[in-house]
Amino acid sequence: MKQERAVQSRLRILEAAGTLFRDKGYKATTMRDIAEAVGMQAGSIYYYFASKEEMLREVTDSGISIIDATVRQSVTGLPPDTPQLQRIRAAIRAHLHSLLQTGECPTAYARIYSQLPSSIKQRDHPMRQAYIGYWCGLIEAAQGSGEIAPELPVHTFVDFLLGSMSRAVEWHDPKAVGIDALASWIADWVLKGIVHRPAGAG
Amino acid sequence: MKQERAVQSRLRILEAAGTLFRDKGYKATTMRDIAEAVGMQAGSIYYYFASKEEMLREVTDSGISIIDATVRQSVTGLPPDTPQLQRIRAAIRAHLHSLLQTGECPTAYARIYSQLPSSIKQRDHPMRQAYIGYWCGLIEAAQGSGEIAPELPVHTFVDFLLGSMSRAVEWHDPKAVGIDALASWIADWVLKGIVHRPAGAG
DNA sequence: CCTACCGATCGGTAGG
DNA sequence: CCTACCGATCGGTAGG
């Protein structure tokens, strides 16, 4: 029916907007860019969205939601006796997958976050904090089990780790290194370090 | 004399532009924003700069140049017998200092790089590659001396490390953690890892 | 969904 | 450096 079609068009527009926001930034993307990408006239977008900012809101909401859900599911799906370090590894892999492979919204979120209007940043803040808090919980659980150094400043480390992965969208080349290999490397680097240990500890 | 004054005004404009580019992004910053920040009229800026893009070019040039020079000097200034790992530590500290403390251009560079016009990206490419190459050399030297694991994929690791530090401009809070402390932590994390080693190796 | 259009604002220029 | 202004383009609206 007609409502089905409208929902489809809405999604097509949102996908085009996410792609353009990701590639050009929010301000640099015009309603006419988005309209052209879906074969419409600029004014027609307002049949589906109240404003440009509403589109941005939906793209960022979708971005952080997908990342959060992907990571939590990947950890929840592990056997109950999985070591904490393996949970962290699964979370790293899932986070990178969501950023580099799920679609345009998570990538757009990682790329344009710093220059979002403050109204959207405020709205986004609780979800972002919840996601960071989940990661802190993962690290603290590994400290509790003795797998991670107890003196590690957890929150700063989580900021560092999440930031390092967000930046991967700028330099990762899927033709050179697969996502699973990259995730495994990054996990090795931050868990075991890169110094040479001939005895093979870690 | 008058030329002195003109040079000063040029610098003031460039500093204001860098600050605004850093905080709002390139497209979202208008010539009228910049003019207002230095107490001029919008048209007056064109007495000093041919275009908005010329200002962006000077800001990004200055940004990467400062980062590159700061890091190289910090390593060159070390005693000749300094271990390779200590050189890497010095480079991490210098890179973070240049990003978080030197001024607006390095921060602007790190923040807006991904959305630069391709003409500027192309112009910037050699300097960027040279900087990344310098880091690869530091890591390879440490592999040569046996201090870093020989199987480490150097280029990917450098992308990861530089990206992780660039992102620190988004989350670092100088009131919570000083730059030197942060640099030391990050060096510990990627060199030694965060796993708990009661024996205290590394 | 399109046509036709709006007020505002943009980067940039002419002339002083 | 300012005043005054330009053509283009922006987000958004009215009416169908």
Side-chain angles (χ1 to χ4, degrees):
Chain A
M1 6 227 121
K2 289 210 171 158
Q3 290 195 351
E4 272 295 318
R5 247 196 151 67
V7 170
Q8 289 292 341
S9 291
R10 222 188 113 91
L11 279 177
R12 275 178 57 234
I13 295 170
L14 212 54
E15 196 177 311
T19 303
L20 286 159
F21 292 164
R22 179 193 68 190
D23 294 340
K24 305 178 55 170
Y26 175 61
K27 273 276 179 182
T29 298
T30 70
M31 296 302 272
R32 285 157 179 87
D33 289 334
I34 299 168
E36 192 189 15
V38 295
M40 287 183 186
Q41 298 300 313
S44 306
I45 308 250
Y46 292 90
Y47 178 73
Y48 301 96
F49 297 92
S51 67
K52 190 185 175 190
E53 191 169 311
E54 183 184 309
M55 305 181 65
L56 176 61
R57 201 161 46 232
E58 295 207 23
V59 167
T60 53
D61 270 18
S62 177
I64 180 67
S65 296
I66 289 170
I67 297 169
D68 186 278
T70 305
V71 169
R72 284 179 200 260
Q73 280 169 25
S74 81
V75 175
T76 306
L78 260 25
D81 61 337
T82 306
Q84 300 300 333
L85 289 186
Q86 290 303 318
R87 292 173 196 263
I88 293 171
R89 284 184 169 273
I92 288 174
R93 196 181 323 118
H95 183 94
L96 282 174
H97 266 283
S98 70
L99 275 182
L100 302 172
Q101 217 168 202
T102 5
E104 56 293 327
C105 291
T107 314
Y109 180 79
R111 260 184 126 161
I112 67 184
Y113 179 81
S114 69
Q115 278 150 19
L116 293 180
S118 59
S119 59
I120 293 190
K121 259 188 188 160
Q122 280 174 28
R123 175 197 160 84
D124 169 80
H125 193 251
M127 281 174 68
R128 193 179 181 85
Q129 286 306 112
Y131 183 63
I132 293 175
Y134 180 74
W135 272 92
C136 289
L138 282 178
I139 304 294
E140 285 159 3
Q143 287 179 317
S145 68
E147 290 166 80
I148 281 184
E151 69 271 16
L152 179 79
V154 175
H155 199 282
T156 301
F157 175 76
V158 167
D159 283 340
F160 165 79
L161 178 59
L162 293 183
S164 74
M165 292 194 284
S166 291
R167 266 276 163 164
V169 304
E170 308 299 341
W171 53 263
H172 175 248
D173 176 9
K175 285 169 289 186
V177 183
I179 296 179
D180 286 337
L182 179 63
S184 178
W185 285 351
I186 290 178
D188 283 345
W189 297 339
V190 298
L191 293 177
K192 301 195 268 184
I194 66 171
V195 297
H196 193 206
R197 290 192 183 82
Chain B
M1 6 220 116
K2 290 214 170 156
Q3 289 196 351
E4 272 294 319
R5 246 196 151 67
V7 171
Q8 288 293 340
S9 290
R10 224 188 111 91
L11 278 176
R12 275 178 58 232
I13 295 170
L14 213 54
E15 195 177 311
T19 303
L20 285 159
F21 291 164
R22 178 193 69 192
D23 294 340
K24 306 177 56 169
Y26 174 62
K27 273 276 179 181
T29 298
T30 69
M31 296 303 272
R32 286 156 178 87
D33 289 335
I34 299 168
E36 192 189 15
V38 296
M40 288 182 184
Q41 297 301 313
S44 307
I45 309 251
Y46 292 90
Y47 178 74
Y48 302 96
F49 296 93
S51 68
K52 189 185 173 188
E53 192 169 310
E54 183 185 306
M55 305 180 65
L56 177 62
R57 200 160 48 231
E58 295 208 22
V59 167
T60 52
D61 270 19
S62 176
I64 181 66
S65 297
I66 290 171
I67 296 169
D68 187 278
T70 305
V71 168
R72 285 179 199 259
Q73 281 170 24
S74 80
V75 174
T76 307
L78 260 25
D81 60 338
T82 305
Q84 301 299 333
L85 290 186
Q86 289 304 318
R87 292 173 196 264
I88 293 171
R89 285 185 169 273
I92 288 174
R93 196 181 323 117
H95 184 95
L96 282 174
H97 266 283
S98 71
L99 275 181
L100 302 172
Q101 217 168 200
T102 5
E104 56 291 329
C105 290
T107 315
Y109 180 78
R111 262 184 125 160
I112 68 183
Y113 179 79
S114 69
Q115 278 150 20
L116 293 180
S118 59
S119 59
I120 293 191
K121 259 187 189 160
Q122 279 174 29
R123 175 197 161 83
D124 169 80
H125 193 251
M127 281 175 68
R128 193 180 182 84
Q129 286 305 113
Y131 183 63
I132 292 175
Y134 179 73
W135 273 91
C136 289
L138 283 177
I139 304 293
E140 285 159 2
Q143 288 179 318
S145 68
E147 291 167 79
I148 281 184
E151 70 271 17
L152 180 78
V154 174
H155 199 282
T156 302
F157 175 75
V158 167
D159 283 341
F160 166 79
L161 179 59
L162 294 183
S164 74
M165 292 193 284
S166 291
R167 265 277 162 163
V169 304
E170 308 299 341
W171 53 263
H172 174 248
D173 175 10
K175 284 170 288 185
V177 183
I179 296 178
D180 285 338
L182 179 63
S184 177
W185 284 351
I186 291 179
D188 282 345
W189 297 339
V190 298
L191 294 177
K192 301 196 268 183
I194 66 170
V195 297
H196 193 206
R197 290 192 180 83

